[in-house]
C-alpha cells in the first residue's frame, strides 16, 4: 500500500532554496500528491520552470503571518488530501 504525502513550506525570502526544495521533492522516488508554498513575502515567490505546476499551489499572504500560523495553515490544507501525510 502506498501512502501519499503533501509537501508544504512557507517562504519569506529564500526563494532559490524553496525552488530547490520543490525540485528535490519532484525528483525523488516518491512524488508528492501536492506541493503547497505559502508565500509570506506578499508575492515575491516565483517557481522556476522545472517545477511541476500541476501539483503546485502557491498561496500568497498579504503579510508575513509567521511560522506558527503558516504551519497551522498547512494543517488546514491537509484536509484537502485525505489520508496523506504533510
Amino acid at each position: 500500500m502506498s501512502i501519499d504525502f503533501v509537501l508544504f513550506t512557507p517562504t519569506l525570502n529564500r526563494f532559490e532554496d524553496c525552488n530547490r526544495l520543490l525540485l528535490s521533492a519532484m525528483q525523488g522516488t516518491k512524488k508528492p500528491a501536492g506541493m503547497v508554498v505559502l508565500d509570506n513575502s506578499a508575492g515575491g515567490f516565483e517557481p522556476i520552470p522545472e517545477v511541476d505546476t500541476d501539483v503546485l499551489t502557491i498561496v500568497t499572504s498579504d503579510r508575513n503571518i509567521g511560522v506558527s500560523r503558516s504551519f497551522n495553515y498547512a494543517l488546514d490544507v491537509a484536509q484537502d488530501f485525505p489520508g496523506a501525510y504533510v
Side-chain angles (χ1 to χ4, degrees):
M1 180 173 126
S2 178
I3 297 176
D4 288 331
F5 76 98
V6 177
L7 174 69
F8 173 84
T9 187
T11 189
L12 178 61
N13 56 12
R14 297 183 65 178
F15 306 128
E16 187 176 317
D17 290 335
C18 185
N19 275 310
R20 277 199 297 264
L21 170 69
L22 298 175
L23 265 178
S24 176
M26 288 176 35
Q27 294 169 348
T29 304
K30 174 75 174 161
K31 309 286 187 271
M35 298 188 298
V36 180
V37 174
L38 177 56
D39 181 2
N40 277 316
S41 72
F45 176 73
E46 289 288 330
I48 57 176
E50 295 84 10
V51 173
D52 182 1
T53 55
D54 291 337
V55 296
L56 176 63
T57 303
I58 301 171
V59 179
T60 304
S61 178
D62 60 350
R63 62 185 168 80
N64 181 2
I65 64 172
V67 174
S68 296
R69 285 187 181 155
S70 293
F71 282 104
N72 285 336
Y73 179 80
L75 294 176
D76 290 338
V77 168
Q79 295 175 12
D80 295 337
F81 299 89
Y85 287 102
V86 176

